[in-house]
Amino acid sequence: MLHRVMWALFVACCAGSLWAGEAEDIANIRERLDQLVPQEPSAIRPAAVEGLYEVMYGTEALYLTGDGRYGLQGDMIDLESGKNLTEISRTEFRKQRLDSMDESQMIVFSPANPRHTLTVFTDVDCAYCQKMHAEMDQFNSYGIAVRYLMFPRSGTGTPSYKKAVSVWCADDPMTAITRAKAGEEIPEVTCDNPVRSQWLSGQEMGVTGTPALFTEDGSLIQGYRPAKKLAVALDSMAEGKPAP
């Protein structure tokens, strides 16, 4: 408890520096991780359990002791509140990534005054992505804006990847993605495009299938839902209630 109180005071009052014990622990953890993992962690911070530190690699979480000797992998659950603390950290990371993205690098279908905005990783060859896109007028009528990012599930250099590039590079990407998702052939073209970087961002954010829908707060809704059901779910989430 004392450790958590100290941490709360640190966040509120002295965000620019670490108290000595914590700084030493993080240095120990970094030293151990440098020996084991070539990738730089996206965050290292005290966990809810005293003596443990949460280490995030995008949406992947590890929990290490302050001396860097012992580690756990998996989700941390607060059994009193029922909250998945690791998922909260994932959501925070996803929101940061979403906030850093440039909407001009997306294909956007939006009503005039959207009530909700979804950022959707999509694959033009994905059957459920196609089904979702066929309901775009309904999504917009419910006040839902859809911002598409490309996530060809088969990877770079594949036919789906080339289709995603052709959609992005078309004179009218909105029309091109609508035609492609309806099963029509579109001209194969190339240009300077963000498809690979979006595919990498999707992996970093934990996308494993499409469509992957992210709300404005970073919550992940995995898979297709009919427009009306999704609108109800988004309204519930906006009110702080669980999605039905």
Side-chain angles (χ1 to χ4, degrees):
M1 177 62 73
L2 178 60
H3 179 82
R4 291 196 292 273
V5 171
M6 291 289 290
W7 175 241
L9 290 173
F10 158 72
V11 171
C13 304
C14 44
S17 61
L18 298 173
W19 57 281
E22 184 179 312
E24 182 179 351
D25 287 349
I26 290 178
N28 291 335
I29 290 169
R30 283 193 178 277
E31 182 178 0
R32 177 53 59 93
L33 292 174
D34 286 343
Q35 299 168 6
L36 300 174
V37 186
Q39 183 181 350
E40 178 72 14
S42 52
I44 302 175
R45 55 193 173 194
V49 176
E50 185 173 353
L52 285 182
Y53 287 79
E54 181 181 73
V55 180
M56 301 295 296
Y57 289 93
T59 57
E60 297 294 324
L62 297 171
Y63 294 93
L64 273 70
T65 53
D67 59 6
R69 179 174 179 180
Y70 298 102
L72 300 169
Q73 188 170 11
D75 285 13
M76 182 177 290
I77 312 296
D78 184 331
L79 297 180
E80 288 190 6
S81 67
K83 292 181 179 179
N84 184 327
L85 303 183
T86 308
E87 185 59 30
I88 291 173
S89 294
R90 292 189 186 108
T91 299
E92 291 172 354
F93 170 77
R94 290 166 178 148
K95 184 180 187 309
Q96 291 173 0
R97 293 291 290 116
L98 290 172
D99 289 346
S100 70
M101 292 179 177
D102 184 354
E103 192 173 277
S104 70
Q105 298 293 294
M106 306 177 188
I107 300 175
V108 182
F109 291 81
S110 178
N113 297 295
R115 295 168 47 241
H116 304 291
T117 298
L118 288 174
T119 304
V120 179
F121 284 86
T122 191
D123 180 339
V124 294
D125 287 331
C126 155
Y128 281 106
C129 297
Q130 294 168 353
K131 191 171 183 177
M132 177 180 178
H133 191 74
E135 298 178 24
M136 188 58 68
D137 288 345
Q138 295 178 54
F139 283 108
N140 288 170
S141 72
Y142 286 120
I144 301 171
V146 175
R147 310 190 310 174
Y148 278 136
L149 297 169
M150 297 300 190
F151 191 83
R153 296 167 301 166
S154 52
T156 59
T158 63
S160 287
Y161 181 87
K162 292 176 182 178
K163 286 182 187 179
V165 170
S166 295
V167 164
W168 175 261
C169 295
D171 292 337
D172 182 351
M174 293 176 70
T175 298
I177 199 170
T178 299
R179 289 180 56 202
K181 288 192 174 190
E184 298 180 30
E185 293 290 332
I186 60 171
E188 185 171 329
V189 292
T190 60
C191 66
D192 185 21
N193 67 83
V195 174
R196 186 175 186 277
S197 65
Q198 291 177 1
W199 178 72
L200 291 171
S201 292
Q203 292 183 319
E204 187 181 25
M205 293 173 66
V207 175
T208 56
T210 55
L213 292 63
F214 291 90
T215 65
E216 292 165 276
D217 72 352
S219 296
L220 170 62
I221 302 173
Q222 189 69 268
Y224 162 81
R225 293 193 188 188
K228 186 174 182 178
K229 288 186 177 181
L230 184 58
V232 172
L234 292 174
D235 286 341
S236 295
M237 294 170 72
E239 295 173 1
K241 303 175 184 177

